[in-house]
């Protein structure tokens, strides 16, 4: 993967795995227990307003982070496929870009309004 990193933003010894297209850096330290030995340092972390999110990790790095692959996308780039789309993070916190479900079918149940009593 990469060279040994000491100190720095992570504050510990780690093997540098690489950097993604957004500038996020990936590290590995096999002295830690298995599921927690790989992590990402976001380029612009801001957890207070959820600017950094797990969905900011591209799919190829997601596979490495979750031990689906031992090779980083730097050492073994993923195959380019016609159906691959550009990665977009989760847009739920952004009001204008969040997913809003809609339907084009008519409702099966019509609402009922009770008849109004006639005034005398």
């Amino acid at each position: 993967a990469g060279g040994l990193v000491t100190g720095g933003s992570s504050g510990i010894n780690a093997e540098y795995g690489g950097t993604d297209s957004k500038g996020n850096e990936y590290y590995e330290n096999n002295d830690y227990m298995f599921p927690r030995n790989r992590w990402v340092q976001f380029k612009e972390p801001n957890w207070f307003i959820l600017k950094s999110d797990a969905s900011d990790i591209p799919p190829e790095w997601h596979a490495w982070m979750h031990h689906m692959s031992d090779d980083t996308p730097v050492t073994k780039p993923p195959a380019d496929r016609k159906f691959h789309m550009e990665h977009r993070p989760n847009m739920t916190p952004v009001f204008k870009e969040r997913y809003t479900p809609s339907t084009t079918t008519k409702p099966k149940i019509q609402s009922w309004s009770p008849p109004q009593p006639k005034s005398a």
Side-chain angles (χ1 to χ4, degrees), residues 61-114:
W61 281 102
H62 176 273
W64 181 77
M65 290 283 294
H66 292 271
H67 299 278
M68 297 164 70
S69 170
D70 288 331
D71 299 317
T72 66
V74 173
T75 58
K76 186 178 179 185
D80 195 24
R81 310 260 187 201
K82 288 193 295 186
F83 55 84
H84 283 178
M85 297 171 55
E86 184 177 334
H87 174 70
R88 287 188 59 202
N90 180 8
M91 299 308 287
T92 301
V94 181
F95 184 77
K96 288 186 175 185
E97 293 195 35
R98 69 180 182 187
Y99 172 73
T100 306
S102 63
T103 181
T104 58
T105 60
K106 293 181 182 178
K108 294 181 180 180
I109 301 172
Q110 300 295 326
S111 59
W112 176 74
S113 297

Side-chain angles (χ1 to χ4, degrees), residues 28-88:
E28 180 177 31
N29 185 340
N30 289 323
D31 292 337
Y32 291 148
M33 62 185 203
F34 175 69
R36 298 184 180 259
N37 63 338
R38 295 177 180 172
W39 67 92
V40 59
Q41 291 292 124
F42 291 107
K43 182 178 180 181
E44 298 176 13
N46 191 340
W47 298 104
F48 183 68
I49 59 171
L50 296 176
K51 190 172 181 183
S52 297
D53 185 68
S55 68
D56 289 335
I57 299 174
E60 58 271 9
W61 281 102
H62 176 273
W64 181 77
M65 290 283 294
H66 292 271
H67 299 278
M68 297 164 70
S69 170
D70 288 331
D71 299 317
T72 66
V74 173
T75 58
K76 186 178 179 185
D80 195 24
R81 310 260 187 201
K82 288 193 295 186
F83 55 84
H84 283 178
M85 297 171 55
E86 184 177 334
H87 174 70
R88 287 188 59 202

